[in-house]
């Protein structure tokens, strides 16, 4: 009887192993089939590159992607950081104005001028987008950006002058550094004045200066977030880029390997799955509005305001690929999408690429961040990549 029982257990375990193997094989087959099916629709063998990346995952660990949002024609970026107070702002200046859309999915957003981006409203172009720290106080930085743009004559012509259109979104960074120092009009003015086509500095800079992640178990177990950017260029001249300030309550994972790059730190310093903390309920709920990931995706596609709003919706999938959990009651996740024009491209293609570059930008933010304010970074746990 005992032998029969052991044999039965052994057979059941073998069947379970085979089922797991079949599940993995089926998933790989479906992924490859989907990639082959999409290849015909994507120019320049873009998907071939994706397939190669999947087959040749770097054994030495995750590496930062190249490029930044300024690779998109008509886009400049300026940043100012307060490394003592651990806050700052990032300004995306659009040289000739741009169609712009927005999608807010977090439940605790801090934003400015997002209503006018609704397709039913009259303004069709924006002149800049501000990503800033300082919680709601930091929205003041947008007024400084407006002042600079007015000085150089950029804005919506109202007959007696121009009114620069400057949407903005904030992260909550008051729990690190000084809660009494926030981005203001002067900081916004200086950031706009510094805007250039130089490659975007990443990590503890601009809106990412005081960003943190992995706060499901509180700040004492959190890790450093930051600012990241990435871009992709197709043979037909289409360029899609992203810039993001990563300040999520959740953890950040590599979309290629599933590895937790930054998140909740356990007692021994190892990284623990955020969902496990939620299930255990070993810590009190995270206060609403004390987190948020904010981003801008940009392209030189010929898109209108309606299409830009759709791109912003699709781009949120880039956050979902890298941040878990995302769009929570404690986050104010907001994505803007701008299109400077010049190249004909479908909404589907631009949206799909926006997902990829935003995911890459999120990873870049974590890999580039440095420990600050007593909060360690990815580099502290793994060494600089």
């Amino acid at each position: 009887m005992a032998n029969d029982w052991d044999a039965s257990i052994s057979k059941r375990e073998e069947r379970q192993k085979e089922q797991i193997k079949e599940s993995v094989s089926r998933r790989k087959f479906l992924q490859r089939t989907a990639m082959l099916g999409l290849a015909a629709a994507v120019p320049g063998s873009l998907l071939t590159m994706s397939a190669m990346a999947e087959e040749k995952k770097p054994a030495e660990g995750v590496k930062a992607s190249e490029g930044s949002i300024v690779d998109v024609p008509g886009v400049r970026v300026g940043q100012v950081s307060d490394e003592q107070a651990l806050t700052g702002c990032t300004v995306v200046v659009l040289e000739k104005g741009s169609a712009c859309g927005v999608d807010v999915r977090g439940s605790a957003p801090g934003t400015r001028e997002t209503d006018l981006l609704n397709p039913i409203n009259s303004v069709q172009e924006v002149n800049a987008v501000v990503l800033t720290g300082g919680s709601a106080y930091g929205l003041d930085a947008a007024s400084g950006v407006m002042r600079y743009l007015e000085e150089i004559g950029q804005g919506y012509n109202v007959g007696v002058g121009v009114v620069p259109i400057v949407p903005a979104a904030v992260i909550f960074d008051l729990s690190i550094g000084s809660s009494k120092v926030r981005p203001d009009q002067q900081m916004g003015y200086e950031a706009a004045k510094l805007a250039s086509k130089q490659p975007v500095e990443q990590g503890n800079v601009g809106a990412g200066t005081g960003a943190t992640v992995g706060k499901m178990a509180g700040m004492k177990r959190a890790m450093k977030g930051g600012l990241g950017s990435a871009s992709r260029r197709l043979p037909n001249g289409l360029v899609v880029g992203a810039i993001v300030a990563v300040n999520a309550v959740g953890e950040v994972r590599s979309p290629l390997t599933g590895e937790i790059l930054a998140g909740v730190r356990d007692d021994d310093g190892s990284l623990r799955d955020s969902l496990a903390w939620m299930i255990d309920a070993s810590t009190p709920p995270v206060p609403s509005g004390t987190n948020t990931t904010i981003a801008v995706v940009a392209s030189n596609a010929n898109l209108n305001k309606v299409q830009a709003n759709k791109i912003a919706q699709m781009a949120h999938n880039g956050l979902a690929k890298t941040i878990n959990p995302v769009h929570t009651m404690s986050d104010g996740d907001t994505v803007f999408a701008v299109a400077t024009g010049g190249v004909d491209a479908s909404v589907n293609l631009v949206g799909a690429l926006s997902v990829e570059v935003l995911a890459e930008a999120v990873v870049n933010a974590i890999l580039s961040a440095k420990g600050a304010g007593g909060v360690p970074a990815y580099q502290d746990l793994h060494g600089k990549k």
Side-chain angles (χ1 to χ4, degrees):
M1 290 284 292
N3 290 338
D4 292 342
W5 178 256
D6 291 341
S8 175
I9 292 176
S10 178
K11 289 180 180 180
R12 185 160 60 249
E13 290 176 344
E14 289 298 323
R15 285 199 301 270
Q16 289 174 342
K17 291 179 181 179
E18 289 300 321
Q19 287 172 351
I20 292 172
K21 289 180 180 179
E22 289 175 4
S23 176
V24 173
S25 298
R26 175 177 171 79
R27 184 164 62 252
K28 289 183 177 179
F29 171 76
L30 291 174
Q31 289 174 343
R32 180 56 59 86
T33 302
M35 288 163 54
L36 290 174
L38 186 60
V42 179
S45 300
L46 177 67
L47 214 48
T48 301
M49 291 187 286
S50 297
M52 290 173 62
E54 181 183 7
E55 291 175 356
K56 298 181 180 180
K57 293 177 183 176
E60 65 273 21
V62 183
K63 289 190 175 181
S65 302
E66 297 182 355
S68 67
I69 195 171
V70 295
D71 295 331
V72 178
V75 174
R76 293 183 288 125
V77 170
Q79 304 190 88
V80 174
S81 312
D82 187 328
E83 296 181 358
Q84 296 300 315
L86 293 179
T87 192
C89 72
T90 299
V91 180
V92 178
V93 175
L94 304 159
E95 295 173 349
K96 297 181 179 180
S98 169
C100 182
V102 67
D103 190 44
V104 181
R105 297 200 179 178
S107 293
T111 58
R112 167 176 166 156
E113 297 279 44
T114 51
D115 279 353
L116 63 79
L117 302 181
N118 189 313
I120 68 172
N121 293 329
S122 61
V123 172
Q124 296 300 309
E125 294 184 342
V126 305
N127 303 104
V129 180
V130 176
L131 306 179
T132 180
S135 190
Y137 296 107
L139 290 172
D140 193 33
S143 296
V145 177
M146 288 185 67
R147 179 159 59 90
Y148 173 76
L149 292 175
E150 181 187 23
E151 289 179 2
I152 63 175
Q154 291 186 10
Y156 183 72
N157 191 333
V158 292
V160 294
V162 296
V163 177
I165 308 300
V166 184
V170 303
I171 68 169
F172 184 96
D173 56 5
L174 305 183
S175 298
I176 187 173
S178 172
S179 63
K180 299 300 182 181
V181 178
R182 287 88 61 155
D184 56 13
Q185 288 192 31
Q186 188 59 36
M187 184 179 281
Y189 181 92
E190 293 298 329
K193 189 175 181 180
L194 290 171
S196 73
K197 296 292 289 185
Q198 293 297 313
V200 174
E201 185 180 355
Q202 303 181 67
N204 298 18
V205 63
T209 304
T212 50
V213 299
K215 290 163 281 188
M216 195 59 67
M219 279 296 294
K220 66 178 182 179
R221 296 182 183 275
M223 287 184 64
K224 192 67 180 66
L227 184 121
S229 191
S231 70
R232 292 196 187 186
R233 184 187 301 271
L234 298 192
N236 67 347
L238 177 67
V239 185
V240 179
I243 191 167
V244 60
V246 186
N247 188 59
V249 68
E251 67 208 14
V252 176
R253 292 176 176 262
S254 164
L256 292 178
T257 66
E259 172 193 356
I260 300 177
L261 305 178
V264 178
R265 290 177 294 122
D266 215 334
D267 292 335
D268 61 359
S270 62
L271 297 180
R272 186 177 177 190
D273 186 279
S274 294
L275 182 58
W277 280 99
M278 295 174 67
I279 293 172
D280 289 347
S282 56
T283 57
V286 180
S288 178
T290 56
N291 309 278
T292 289
T293 298
I294 52 179
V296 179
V297 294
S299 74
N300 61 336
N302 295 320
L303 302 176
N304 59 34
K305 187 177 174 182
V306 175
Q307 294 168 321
N309 271 277
K310 185 60 183 178
I311 298 299
Q313 289 181 358
M314 296 176 69
H316 267 282
N317 290 329
L319 303 185
K321 289 180 68 172
T322 51
I323 300 171
N324 182 53
V326 71
H327 305 146
T328 72
M329 296 299 293
S330 301
D331 290 291
D333 303 325
T334 301
V335 176
F336 296 95
V338 297
T340 59
V343 176
D344 289 330
S346 72
V347 171
N348 287 342
L349 178 58
V350 177
L353 288 173
S354 295
V355 171
E356 298 304 315
V357 295
L358 183 50
E360 291 172 0
V362 170
V363 171
N364 284 352
I366 298 304
L367 299 186
S368 302
K370 297 179 176 62
V375 180
Y378 173 88
Q379 294 184 16
D380 298 316
L381 273 63
H382 301 275
K384 188 172 181 180
K385 295 294 180 181

